[in-house]
Amino acid sequence: MDAKKDSNSREHEGSGVGVLDKVTAVLDALEAGPQTLANLVTQTHLARPTAHRLAVALEFHRFVARDGQGRFVLGPRLSELSSAAGEDRLLTAAHPVLVALRDHTGESVQLYRRQGEQRVCVAAAEREMGLRDSIPVGAVLSMKAGSAAQVLLAWEEPDRLHRGLHGASFTATNLSAVRRRGWAQSVGEREAGVASVSAPVRGPSGRVIAAVSISGPIERMSRQPGRLHANAVVAGAKRLTDVLQTTESLEQA
């Protein structure tokens, strides 16, 4: 038997873990585009109750979603895992960008990623002297307040966005403004006396995967910190985005 036939044989035999093989069949079918339950049954050769049970279970875990017509489609969890797989690349690229932004603005700089219903500081460049807002790497902060939380939520799918607004210090109108101008600001929202400005970092797919943020005392940042620093923060976030997208293109070449 040649290698190709042997590979095909293993594929038809499956992994030996039946439920995983069936789940993979469902995801493979959805890779081609939106599918009705009837189409899933046809393409996966699964019994209708089995196909429905697996699709609904995958939907619960956000590996599958529904489109406007109620058809099954690939869900947002897959892109989140893909983004997480590129985290080391993001952190490697982030350091010089954060340092340059700190030196340009004179303020502390952070990089945040969303993890579930919280956000985590995954990289930082601290202001070297004077009064500063110190956020240590690994610090876990709320998704309910702060400019970075606004950025990480503003481009989410509508259902998740609206869930995230419950109990938040900002509103849907605030997030609409964030999407329109491409950056967010907060003044005393996360912590009294602290102001911040944040902008989105996008992965190769265009999805927001992180937020670059600068923060400092209101006395220095002012009550309109975006007027002072939005351009610099947006430029820093764009540099990170460009590095990630260029690296992805080189790896695929």
Side-chain angles (χ1 to χ4, degrees), residues 154-187:
W155 283 272
E156 287 282 9
E157 65 268 21
D159 287 348
R160 198 176 191 198
L161 186 154
H162 289 300
R163 287 197 302 272
L165 286 171
H166 293 305
S169 300
F170 43 80
T171 66
T173 300
N174 296 140
L175 297 188
S176 178
V178 170
R179 290 191 297 274
R180 182 176 66 252
R181 67 193 179 199
W183 54 270
Q185 67 178 0
S186 68
V187 178

mmCIF file of all heavy atoms in Angstrom, residues 154-187:
data_model
loop_
_atom_site.group_PDB
_atom_site.id
_atom_site.type_symbol
_atom_site.label_atom_id
_atom_site.label_comp_id
_atom_site.label_asym_id
_atom_site.label_seq_id
_atom_site.Cartn_x
_atom_site.Cartn_y
_atom_site.Cartn_z
ATOM 1 N N ALA A 154 -15.579 46.472 21.964
ATOM 2 C CA ALA A 154 -16.295 47.255 20.939
ATOM 3 C C ALA A 154 -16.514 46.510 19.628
ATOM 4 O O ALA A 154 -17.530 46.718 18.958
ATOM 5 C CB ALA A 154 -15.541 48.556 20.663
ATOM 6 N N TRP A 155 -15.584 45.639 19.243
ATOM 7 C CA TRP A 155 -15.702 44.947 17.951
ATOM 8 C C TRP A 155 -16.177 43.497 18.096
ATOM 9 O O TRP A 155 -16.086 42.717 17.146
ATOM 10 C CB TRP A 155 -14.374 44.989 17.214
ATOM 11 C CG TRP A 155 -14.107 46.326 16.574
ATOM 12 C CD1 TRP A 155 -14.500 46.733 15.328
ATOM 13 C CD2 TRP A 155 -13.393 47.439 17.141
ATOM 14 N NE1 TRP A 155 -14.076 48.014 15.093
ATOM 15 C CE2 TRP A 155 -13.398 48.482 16.189
ATOM 16 C CE3 TRP A 155 -12.765 47.655 18.364
ATOM 17 C CZ2 TRP A 155 -12.788 49.718 16.407
ATOM 18 C CZ3 TRP A 155 -12.160 48.883 18.592
ATOM 19 C CH2 TRP A 155 -12.174 49.892 17.632
ATOM 20 N N GLU A 156 -16.682 43.129 19.270
ATOM 21 C CA GLU A 156 -17.226 41.782 19.458
ATOM 22 C C GLU A 156 -18.532 41.635 18.681
ATOM 23 O O GLU A 156 -19.177 42.613 18.301
ATOM 24 C CB GLU A 156 -17.489 41.516 20.937
ATOM 25 C CG GLU A 156 -16.229 41.303 21.765
ATOM 26 C CD GLU A 156 -15.638 39.909 21.585
ATOM 27 O OE1 GLU A 156 -16.110 39.169 20.689
ATOM 28 O OE2 GLU A 156 -14.714 39.576 22.335
ATOM 29 N N GLU A 157 -18.960 40.375 18.469
ATOM 30 C CA GLU A 157 -20.244 40.136 17.833
ATOM 31 C C GLU A 157 -21.350 40.690 18.732
ATOM 32 O O GLU A 157 -21.181 40.776 19.960
ATOM 33 C CB GLU A 157 -20.465 38.657 17.538
ATOM 34 C CG GLU A 157 -20.558 37.762 18.748
ATOM 35 C CD GLU A 157 -19.234 37.170 19.157
ATOM 36 O OE1 GLU A 157 -18.177 37.727 18.793
ATOM 37 O OE2 GLU A 157 -19.265 36.137 19.868
ATOM 38 N N PRO A 158 -22.481 41.108 18.158
ATOM 39 C CA PRO A 158 -23.506 41.847 18.917
ATOM 40 C C PRO A 158 -23.948 41.185 20.212
ATOM 41 O O PRO A 158 -24.050 41.857 21.247
ATOM 42 C CB PRO A 158 -24.665 41.961 17.914
ATOM 43 C CG PRO A 158 -23.992 41.972 16.576
ATOM 44 C CD PRO A 158 -22.829 41.030 16.717
ATOM 45 N N ASP A 159 -24.202 39.876 20.200
ATOM 46 C CA ASP A 159 -24.683 39.217 21.417
ATOM 47 C C ASP A 159 -23.664 39.327 22.545
ATOM 48 O O ASP A 159 -24.015 39.645 23.686
ATOM 49 C CB ASP A 159 -24.995 37.742 21.144
ATOM 50 C CG ASP A 159 -26.263 37.564 20.322
ATOM 51 O OD1 ASP A 159 -27.001 38.557 20.158
ATOM 52 O OD2 ASP A 159 -26.506 36.450 19.832
ATOM 53 N N ARG A 160 -22.410 39.065 22.237
ATOM 54 C CA ARG A 160 -21.377 39.119 23.275
ATOM 55 C C ARG A 160 -21.139 40.557 23.723
ATOM 56 O O ARG A 160 -20.886 40.815 24.897
ATOM 57 C CB ARG A 160 -20.084 38.496 22.742
ATOM 58 C CG ARG A 160 -19.112 38.123 23.857
ATOM 59 C CD ARG A 160 -17.887 37.423 23.330
ATOM 60 N NE ARG A 160 -17.110 36.860 24.419
ATOM 61 C CZ ARG A 160 -15.841 36.492 24.298
ATOM 62 N NH1 ARG A 160 -15.223 36.618 23.138
ATOM 63 N NH2 ARG A 160 -15.189 35.984 25.322
ATOM 64 N N LEU A 161 -21.236 41.494 22.788
ATOM 65 C CA LEU A 161 -21.072 42.900 23.133
ATOM 66 C C LEU A 161 -22.135 43.337 24.136
ATOM 67 O O LEU A 161 -21.826 43.945 25.170
ATOM 68 C CB LEU A 161 -21.130 43.761 21.868
ATOM 69 C CG LEU A 161 -20.831 45.256 22.013
ATOM 70 C CD1 LEU A 161 -20.315 45.811 20.694
ATOM 71 C CD2 LEU A 161 -22.083 46.037 22.422
ATOM 72 N N HIS A 162 -23.384 43.005 23.842
ATOM 73 C CA HIS A 162 -24.466 43.439 24.724
ATOM 74 C C HIS A 162 -24.392 42.760 26.092
ATOM 75 O O HIS A 162 -24.692 43.384 27.115
ATOM 76 C CB HIS A 162 -25.820 43.195 24.058
ATOM 77 C CG HIS A 162 -26.079 44.128 22.911
ATOM 78 N ND1 HIS A 162 -26.121 45.495 23.064
ATOM 79 C CD2 HIS A 162 -26.291 43.897 21.590
ATOM 80 C CE1 HIS A 162 -26.359 46.071 21.893
ATOM 81 N NE2 HIS A 162 -26.451 45.117 20.984
ATOM 82 N N ARG A 163 -23.946 41.501 26.122
ATOM 83 C CA ARG A 163 -23.748 40.849 27.426
ATOM 84 C C ARG A 163 -22.663 41.558 28.222
ATOM 85 O O ARG A 163 -22.768 41.724 29.435
ATOM 86 C CB ARG A 163 -23.387 39.370 27.241
ATOM 87 C CG ARG A 163 -24.535 38.482 26.804
ATOM 88 C CD ARG A 163 -24.211 37.023 27.059
ATOM 89 N NE ARG A 163 -23.002 36.585 26.386
ATOM 90 C CZ ARG A 163 -22.965 36.103 25.144
ATOM 91 N NH1 ARG A 163 -24.089 36.004 24.431
ATOM 92 N NH2 ARG A 163 -21.813 35.719 24.607
ATOM 93 N N GLY A 164 -21.624 41.990 27.526
ATOM 94 C CA GLY A 164 -20.518 42.660 28.192
ATOM 95 C C GLY A 164 -20.868 44.015 28.754
ATOM 96 O O GLY A 164 -20.184 44.525 29.644
ATOM 97 N N LEU A 165 -21.950 44.618 28.268
ATOM 98 C CA LEU A 165 -22.363 45.936 28.753
ATOM 99 C C LEU A 165 -23.061 45.887 30.105
ATOM 100 O O LEU A 165 -23.168 46.910 30.785
ATOM 101 C CB LEU A 165 -23.284 46.611 27.730
ATOM 102 C CG LEU A 165 -22.599 47.149 26.466
ATOM 103 C CD1 LEU A 165 -23.634 47.599 25.448
ATOM 104 C CD2 LEU A 165 -21.657 48.305 26.813
ATOM 105 N N HIS A 166 -23.531 44.705 30.512
ATOM 106 C CA HIS A 166 -24.222 44.593 31.792
ATOM 107 C C HIS A 166 -23.270 44.939 32.930
ATOM 108 O O HIS A 166 -22.239 44.294 33.122
ATOM 109 C CB HIS A 166 -24.784 43.189 31.996
ATOM 110 C CG HIS A 166 -25.894 42.836 31.048
ATOM 111 N ND1 HIS A 166 -27.026 43.599 30.917
ATOM 112 C CD2 HIS A 166 -26.035 41.806 30.172
ATOM 113 C CE1 HIS A 166 -27.828 43.061 30.017
ATOM 114 N NE2 HIS A 166 -27.240 41.975 29.540
ATOM 115 N N GLY A 167 -23.595 45.992 33.669
ATOM 116 C CA GLY A 167 -22.770 46.404 34.791
ATOM 117 C C GLY A 167 -21.539 47.208 34.413
ATOM 118 O O GLY A 167 -20.721 47.535 35.278
ATOM 119 N N ALA A 168 -21.391 47.547 33.130
ATOM 120 C CA ALA A 168 -20.208 48.275 32.680
ATOM 121 C C ALA A 168 -20.321 49.772 32.968
ATOM 122 O O ALA A 168 -21.426 50.320 33.096
ATOM 123 C CB ALA A 168 -19.988 48.052 31.183
ATOM 124 N N SER A 169 -19.171 50.430 33.045
ATOM 125 C CA SER A 169 -19.134 51.871 33.267
ATOM 126 C C SER A 169 -19.358 52.654 31.984
ATOM 127 O O SER A 169 -19.486 53.873 32.032
ATOM 128 C CB SER A 169 -17.779 52.268 33.871
ATOM 129 O OG SER A 169 -17.568 51.618 35.105
ATOM 130 N N PHE A 170 -19.382 51.964 30.848
ATOM 131 C CA PHE A 170 -19.588 52.602 29.552
ATOM 132 C C PHE A 170 -20.840 52.038 28.908
ATOM 133 O O PHE A 170 -21.394 51.030 29.364
ATOM 134 C CB PHE A 170 -18.365 52.405 28.653
ATOM 135 C CG PHE A 170 -17.795 51.008 28.706
ATOM 136 C CD1 PHE A 170 -18.358 49.968 27.982
ATOM 137 C CD2 PHE A 170 -16.710 50.725 29.511
ATOM 138 C CE1 PHE A 170 -17.852 48.691 28.034
ATOM 139 C CE2 PHE A 170 -16.181 49.443 29.582
ATOM 140 C CZ PHE A 170 -16.759 48.424 28.835
ATOM 141 N N THR A 171 -21.289 52.672 27.847
ATOM 142 C CA THR A 171 -22.548 52.313 27.201
ATOM 143 C C THR A 171 -22.320 51.871 25.764
ATOM 144 O O THR A 171 -21.217 52.000 25.218
ATOM 145 C CB THR A 171 -23.504 53.512 27.191
ATOM 146 O OG1 THR A 171 -22.937 54.533 26.333
ATOM 147 C CG2 THR A 171 -23.703 54.074 28.595
ATOM 148 N N ALA A 172 -23.391 51.378 25.137
ATOM 149 C CA ALA A 172 -23.329 51.013 23.720
ATOM 150 C C ALA A 172 -22.980 52.224 22.861
ATOM 151 O O ALA A 172 -22.274 52.101 21.857
ATOM 152 C CB ALA A 172 -24.667 50.412 23.280
ATOM 153 N N THR A 173 -23.466 53.404 23.256
ATOM 154 C CA THR A 173 -23.131 54.631 22.524
ATOM 155 C C THR A 173 -21.639 54.917 22.601
ATOM 156 O O THR A 173 -21.019 55.312 21.598
ATOM 157 C CB THR A 173 -23.923 55.823 23.100
ATOM 158 O OG1 THR A 173 -25.318 55.554 22.977
ATOM 159 C CG2 THR A 173 -23.584 57.111 22.362
ATOM 160 N N ASN A 174 -21.047 54.719 23.783
ATOM 161 C CA ASN A 174 -19.598 54.881 23.921
ATOM 162 C C ASN A 174 -18.841 53.952 22.985
ATOM 163 O O ASN A 174 -17.876 54.363 22.319
ATOM 164 C CB ASN A 174 -19.157 54.600 25.356
ATOM 165 C CG ASN A 174 -19.706 55.565 26.368
ATOM 166 O OD1 ASN A 174 -20.084 55.171 27.471
ATOM 167 N ND2 ASN A 174 -19.784 56.839 26.033
ATOM 168 N N LEU A 175 -19.276 52.686 22.915
ATOM 169 C CA LEU A 175 -18.580 51.714 22.078
ATOM 170 C C LEU A 175 -18.756 52.017 20.597
ATOM 171 O O LEU A 175 -17.857 51.761 19.793
ATOM 172 C CB LEU A 175 -19.064 50.299 22.398
ATOM 173 C CG LEU A 175 -18.783 49.808 23.818
ATOM 174 C CD1 LEU A 175 -19.137 48.335 23.957
ATOM 175 C CD2 LEU A 175 -17.339 50.057 24.236
ATOM 176 N N SER A 176 -19.910 52.560 20.233
ATOM 177 C CA SER A 176 -20.118 52.983 18.847
ATOM 178 C C SER A 176 -19.117 54.073 18.476
ATOM 179 O O SER A 176 -18.544 54.066 17.371
ATOM 180 C CB SER A 176 -21.547 53.488 18.669
ATOM 181 O OG SER A 176 -21.760 53.949 17.345
ATOM 182 N N ALA A 177 -18.880 55.009 19.402
ATOM 183 C CA ALA A 177 -17.900 56.065 19.162
ATOM 184 C C ALA A 177 -16.488 55.489 19.055
ATOM 185 O O ALA A 177 -15.676 55.941 18.238
ATOM 186 C CB ALA A 177 -17.967 57.101 20.282
ATOM 187 N N VAL A 178 -16.185 54.475 19.862
ATOM 188 C CA VAL A 178 -14.876 53.814 19.801
ATOM 189 C C VAL A 178 -14.658 53.201 18.419
ATOM 190 O O VAL A 178 -13.590 53.363 17.805
ATOM 191 C CB VAL A 178 -14.758 52.739 20.899
ATOM 192 C CG1 VAL A 178 -13.497 51.892 20.692
ATOM 193 C CG2 VAL A 178 -14.748 53.389 22.275
ATOM 194 N N ARG A 179 -15.660 52.504 17.909
ATOM 195 C CA ARG A 179 -15.528 51.885 16.585
ATOM 196 C C ARG A 179 -15.360 52.949 15.498
ATOM 197 O O ARG A 179 -14.600 52.751 14.548
ATOM 198 C CB ARG A 179 -16.753 51.011 16.283
ATOM 199 C CG ARG A 179 -16.840 49.743 17.129
ATOM 200 C CD ARG A 179 -17.920 48.804 16.610
ATOM 201 N NE ARG A 179 -19.253 49.392 16.693
ATOM 202 C CZ ARG A 179 -20.033 49.343 17.754
ATOM 203 N NH1 ARG A 179 -19.607 48.747 18.856
ATOM 204 N NH2 ARG A 179 -21.236 49.896 17.745
ATOM 205 N N ARG A 180 -16.066 54.046 15.645
ATOM 206 C CA ARG A 180 -16.025 55.094 14.612
ATOM 207 C C ARG A 180 -14.661 55.777 14.546
ATOM 208 O O ARG A 180 -14.106 55.974 13.468
ATOM 209 C CB ARG A 180 -17.115 56.137 14.893
ATOM 210 C CG ARG A 180 -17.197 57.248 13.838
ATOM 211 C CD ARG A 180 -18.359 58.189 14.107
ATOM 212 N NE ARG A 180 -18.175 58.941 15.359
ATOM 213 C CZ ARG A 180 -18.868 58.717 16.470
ATOM 214 N NH1 ARG A 180 -19.781 57.756 16.521
ATOM 215 N NH2 ARG A 180 -18.653 59.438 17.559
ATOM 216 N N ARG A 181 -14.093 56.104 15.705
ATOM 217 C CA ARG A 181 -12.836 56.863 15.687
ATOM 218 C C ARG A 181 -11.598 55.971 15.791
ATOM 219 O O ARG A 181 -10.479 56.423 15.521
ATOM 220 C CB ARG A 181 -12.843 57.895 16.808
ATOM 221 C CG ARG A 181 -12.803 57.317 18.210
ATOM 222 C CD ARG A 181 -13.135 58.364 19.255
ATOM 223 N NE ARG A 181 -13.114 57.784 20.597
ATOM 224 C CZ ARG A 181 -13.700 58.323 21.647
ATOM 225 N NH1 ARG A 181 -14.376 59.446 21.513
ATOM 226 N NH2 ARG A 181 -13.624 57.741 22.824
ATOM 227 N N GLY A 182 -11.785 54.701 16.239
ATOM 228 C CA GLY A 182 -10.670 53.769 16.290
ATOM 229 C C GLY A 182 -9.857 53.802 17.563
ATOM 230 O O GLY A 182 -8.788 53.192 17.635
ATOM 231 N N TRP A 183 -10.338 54.430 18.625
ATOM 232 C CA TRP A 183 -9.647 54.455 19.909
ATOM 233 C C TRP A 183 -10.643 54.764 21.018
ATOM 234 O O TRP A 183 -11.759 55.212 20.759
ATOM 235 C CB TRP A 183 -8.499 55.469 19.927
ATOM 236 C CG TRP A 183 -8.885 56.875 19.537
ATOM 237 C CD1 TRP A 183 -8.869 57.395 18.280
ATOM 238 C CD2 TRP A 183 -9.359 57.930 20.400
ATOM 239 N NE1 TRP A 183 -9.287 58.713 18.300
ATOM 240 C CE2 TRP A 183 -9.592 59.066 19.584
ATOM 241 C CE3 TRP A 183 -9.599 58.030 21.771
ATOM 242 C CZ2 TRP A 183 -10.063 60.273 20.106
ATOM 243 C CZ3 TRP A 183 -10.068 59.237 22.293
ATOM 244 C CH2 TRP A 183 -10.285 60.340 21.463
ATOM 245 N N ALA A 184 -10.231 54.503 22.255
ATOM 246 C CA ALA A 184 -11.082 54.756 23.416
ATOM 247 C C ALA A 184 -10.304 55.528 24.465
ATOM 248 O O ALA A 184 -9.071 55.458 24.522
ATOM 249 C CB ALA A 184 -11.577 53.435 24.009
ATOM 250 N N GLN A 185 -11.028 56.268 25.298
ATOM 251 C CA GLN A 185 -10.407 56.951 26.422
ATOM 252 C C GLN A 185 -11.255 56.747 27.671
ATOM 253 O O GLN A 185 -12.456 56.475 27.586
ATOM 254 C CB GLN A 185 -10.238 58.449 26.142
ATOM 255 C CG GLN A 185 -11.546 59.212 26.042
ATOM 256 C CD GLN A 185 -11.340 60.715 25.815
ATOM 257 O OE1 GLN A 185 -10.214 61.199 25.723
ATOM 258 N NE2 GLN A 185 -12.427 61.451 25.722
ATOM 259 N N SER A 186 -10.635 56.850 28.826
ATOM 260 C CA SER A 186 -11.385 56.793 30.085
ATOM 261 C C SER A 186 -10.725 57.749 31.073
ATOM 262 O O SER A 186 -9.515 57.970 31.030
ATOM 263 C CB SER A 186 -11.431 55.376 30.650
ATOM 264 O OG SER A 186 -10.142 54.962 31.077
ATOM 265 N N VAL A 187 -11.546 58.307 31.944
ATOM 266 C CA VAL A 187 -11.073 59.253 32.952
ATOM 267 C C VAL A 187 -11.693 58.857 34.284
ATOM 268 O O VAL A 187 -12.907 58.986 34.477
ATOM 269 C CB VAL A 187 -11.463 60.703 32.590
ATOM 270 C CG1 VAL A 187 -10.990 61.662 33.684
ATOM 271 C CG2 VAL A 187 -10.880 61.106 31.238
#
